[in-house]
Amino acid sequence: MTPLHLRSAAASRAALIDYGKFFLLAGLAVWLLTLGTRGMGYNWQWYRVPRFLFTTEGGVWAAGPLLQGLWVTLEISLLSLLCTLILGLTAALFRLSDSFTARALARGYLELIRNTPLLIQIFFVYFVISPVLDIGAFASAVLALSLFEGAYAAEILRAGIVSLQRGQWEAAHCLGLGLFDTYRDVILPQAVRRVLPPLAGQGISLIKDSSLVSTIAIYDLTMQGQKIVSETFLAFEIWFTVAAIYLVMTFGLSFAVRALEHRMNGFPIRGAGGIA
Amino acid sequence: MSADERIIEAREIAKTFPGGVVALDRFTLAVRRGEVVVIIIGPSGSGKSTFLRCLNGLEEIDGGSIVIDGIPLDHHRKNRLLIRQEVGMVFQSFNLFPHMTVRENIDLAQIRVRKKTRTDAAETTMSLLAKVGITEKADRYPHELSGGQQQRVAIARALAMSPKVMLFDEATSALDPEMIGEVLDVMRTLAAEGMTMVVVTHEMGFAREAGDRIVFMENGRIVEEGETERFFAAPREERTHAFLGQIL
């Protein structure tokens, strides 16, 4: 075997080469981008962007259209995230239920939602369901997004639940725990911990997918961006800014989930439940 | 044996697994209150722990009847729940809840099922941990414990429900040899205290010492049963003789 100090020297050399590759690729990307924009003859006007974020006229701070849109997007995303989790959990439990009716219902919901485009679903909820339920555009948006993401969350949660060892169910059974207690105290805490990473991914999809609600006249971040672009023709500056704001939101969510994961690390999740 | 002396009555139970393996073939066994029945299984035994798992409804039986403490194990949800609450089980693979501390593992069913207050549950938990000899690990997680310690916690967890019967499903088979003793000690104590126990095991020493009755089982059928002393001293069946000759 290679002595330890030699191995670590080799490792740091490998890391150096790796960083080198990274900067080479990044440089290449920047070069291509500049080449492209120059070829286009685009007139960059970044200095015009800040006023769409916020204004400080007369010393008074006021949110610009983009930040107002961000607020709407956040509201829709957070509400939908909550509903997604509730809906996803319900559908997952239905799919695992002993009742044929519950299973069929869950199956129908999952197949329908996962095999049709979100855009059509948003239109359907807004134009067909919302007049019946007498709800506005905002509620329609939340409903459509929750229905859509809930179907994916259901499959993720179900996978987490069935991944647990049978022994966990059996131990709960032998202690006389009812189904509700078994899920709440034994199964779900472990299952959710296991599927936190894919669940976070679904949350990120939700934030990005929420941009589609701009099609039903909701002034979210995307809609505000669109409006500004059509008024000012600052296409690249505004869209890049909008993208950056989405990036901040999704990074924020990833970060929060990672912190949560870290906090839940009190017990090892792999190989748990049996002979350690 | 009179009817109310019997706490477990399994009559002609049959169980065939999908694939055609016959685990129990018209298996009949009655257990008295306070009796320790040790089931030992021949080398080709297939449905090793199936009998135990049928007793508390973990497996469905295909035929026959099971009555536990006067409650029939039938299709009434209430009866099944009652039986699950009165019959404790210890598994080969412990099956502790890995996301809960030792204390929480033992508290859980007391609070959720027996509806005890947290203080009451905590008191029982600590006395049970003292009984199995690991009070100092109360706030540890299962993965921080050795196999023997985990199994002792699992026994304490089952006892927390104050069950009328305890089932031990090869409780020491997954343990390193040096840890088997500590678990068997706890089981011996329980037996001495008069707990009704049905134990599936390969530990002949334990069977001899703690068992009131031995049941030798092979291919889903009872080959021979009898009081411990008689069973080991003078087995009647040729098959038992051969088996004991191999392992003793």
Side-chain angles (χ1 to χ4, degrees):
Chain A
M1 231 163 87
T2 334
L4 196 66
H5 65 279
L6 285 186
R7 243 195 307 162
S8 66
S12 62
R13 199 176 320 129
L16 217 61
I17 292 172
D18 201 33
Y19 282 126
K21 284 181 195 155
F22 172 78
F23 285 116
L24 199 70
L25 273 176
L28 200 69
V30 170
W31 179 67
L32 274 175
L33 205 67
T34 357
L35 207 69
T37 49
R38 226 183 261 157
M40 240 174 12
Y42 189 78
N43 177 25
W44 293 92
Q45 304 176 61
W46 282 105
Y47 66 93
R48 291 177 63 192
V49 172
R51 85 174 77 141
F52 298 112
L53 287 169
F54 58 86
T55 52
T56 50
E57 265 169 64
V60 183
W61 191 91
L66 284 182
L67 284 194
Q68 285 168 14
L70 167 65
W71 178 245
V72 174
T73 292
L74 275 178
E75 268 184 319
I76 289 182
S77 298
L78 281 177
L79 267 174
S80 303
L81 191 63
L82 193 71
C83 297
T84 292
L85 290 176
I86 295 169
L87 204 62
L89 185 59
T90 312
L93 296 185
F94 271 33
R95 265 211 76 178
L96 294 167
S97 149
D98 287 332
S99 151
F100 172 78
T101 317
R103 281 203 310 270
L105 210 65
R107 200 62 203 254
Y109 160 65
L110 295 180
E111 294 301 333
L112 193 70
I113 295 290
R114 294 193 307 159
N115 291 304
T116 52
L118 173 58
L119 189 62
I120 312 270
Q121 290 171 25
I122 292 174
F123 285 157
F124 184 80
V125 170
Y126 183 56
F127 292 114
V128 181
I129 296 182
S130 80
V132 179
L133 297 178
D134 196 21
I135 52 176
F138 185 86
S140 303
V142 171
L143 182 62
L145 275 175
S146 311
L147 279 171
F148 181 76
E149 308 293 342
Y152 291 89
E155 286 297 83
I156 293 172
L157 285 167
R158 187 180 68 94
I161 291 168
V162 299
S163 78
L164 295 182
Q165 287 182 358
R166 220 168 59 145
Q168 294 292 303
W169 288 96
E170 294 183 348
H173 172 105
C174 293
L175 288 171
L177 289 171
L179 191 63
F180 179 78
D181 289 334
T182 303
Y183 267 119
R184 177 184 52 183
D185 297 320
V186 178
I187 302 301
L188 287 180
Q190 298 184 61
V192 168
R193 169 67 184 79
R194 274 191 194 191
V195 298
L196 216 46
L199 219 47
Q202 204 57 49
I204 286 165
S205 292
L206 187 150
I207 292 176
K208 293 184 296 174
D209 290 344
S210 77
S211 62
L212 281 176
V213 304
S214 58
T215 54
I216 55 170
I218 288 179
Y219 278 79
D220 75 326
L221 184 54
T222 302
M223 185 63 164
Q224 294 285 12
Q226 218 161 4
K227 202 178 123 207
I228 299 166
V229 169
S230 63
E231 286 165 0
T232 62
F233 298 106
L234 292 171
F236 283 98
E237 292 89 337
I238 295 298
W239 284 131
F240 279 164
T241 308
V242 166
I245 297 174
Y246 275 109
L247 207 60
V248 169
M249 278 191 281
T250 52
F251 266 141
L253 182 65
S254 300
F255 189 77
V257 170
R258 212 161 306 154
L260 186 66
E261 232 177 309
H262 199 72
R263 258 195 49 184
M264 289 170 90
N265 265 347
F267 64 97
I269 203 66
R270 311 276 163 222
I275 308 149
Chain B
M1 209 188 311
S2 76
D4 58 312
E5 259 183 13
R6 297 188 199 116
I7 192 157
I8 297 175
E9 218 175 345
R11 217 175 272 231
E12 304 230 316
I13 57 176
K15 172 77 188 173
T16 308
F17 283 110
V21 178
V22 179
L24 293 170
D25 181 11
R26 302 210 296 161
F27 189 91
T28 297
L29 186 73
V31 179
R32 284 193 315 272
R33 251 170 242 285
E35 190 179 27
V36 177
V37 173
V38 177
I39 301 179
I40 54 178
I41 292 161
S44 62
S46 43
K48 274 179 192 261
S49 46
T50 311
F51 174 60
L52 291 189
R53 297 167 58 84
C54 287
L55 283 183
N56 61 6
L58 272 182
E59 301 278 358
E60 292 298 321
I61 52 175
D62 301 329
S65 68
I66 293 172
V67 179
I68 310 269
D69 200 25
I71 310 163
L73 184 71
D74 50 23
H75 287 289
H76 290 280
R77 283 172 62 107
K78 205 159 187 183
N79 285 344
R80 298 190 142 244
L81 194 64
L82 269 175
I83 288 178
R84 291 205 270 134
Q85 292 171 2
E86 300 310 329
V87 179
M89 187 166 194
V90 177
F91 301 88
Q92 181 179 349
S93 52
F94 328 137
N95 294 338
L96 291 176
F97 305 133
H99 58 301
M100 296 182 187
T101 61
V102 164
R103 190 196 297 278
E104 289 165 345
N105 263 281
I106 305 176
D107 280 345
L108 180 67
Q110 299 182 62
I111 293 167
R112 294 283 189 243
V113 184
R114 293 290 187 222
K115 309 289 177 203
K116 283 196 208 168
T117 63
R118 286 191 179 273
T119 344
D120 281 354
E123 208 172 297
T124 311
T125 298
M126 283 323 281
S127 74
L128 284 170
L129 280 177
K131 184 178 192 147
V132 298
I134 32 177
T135 39
E136 76 281 6
K137 303 283 185 193
D139 294 309
R140 294 303 180 85
Y141 284 92
H143 71 94
E144 299 174 290
L145 272 55
S146 73
Q149 290 169 333
Q150 289 192 50
Q151 192 60 299
R152 284 187 280 152
V153 172
I155 294 174
R157 182 176 67 173
L159 289 175
M161 284 291 290
S162 324
K164 293 182 174 141
V165 179
M166 284 283 282
L167 309 176
F168 290 85
D169 183 6
E170 299 195 56
T172 56
S173 297
L175 296 176
D176 291 335
E178 71 268 24
M179 292 170 184
I180 292 175
E182 62 194 62
V183 172
L184 290 181
D185 280 344
V186 173
M187 290 168 66
R188 269 188 214 105
T189 313
L190 274 182
E193 285 172 1
M195 173 64 80
T196 310
M197 292 162 61
V198 182
V199 183
V200 172
T201 188
H202 302 293
E203 295 295 326
M204 291 305 141
F206 172 83
R208 258 189 151 148
E209 204 181 314
D212 296 315
R213 189 149 51 105
I214 310 293
V215 174
F216 177 49
M217 193 181 162
E218 200 170 44
N219 300 326
R221 251 176 278 184
I222 294 180
V223 177
E224 179 171 356
E225 66 173 306
E227 277 176 32
T228 309
E229 228 159 277
R230 204 279 299 152
F231 181 90
F232 283 106
R236 290 187 185 125
E237 300 291 324
E238 194 54 44
R239 186 70 198 85
T240 319
H241 213 84
F243 177 73
L244 291 177
Q246 268 169 14
I247 57 156
L248 291 180

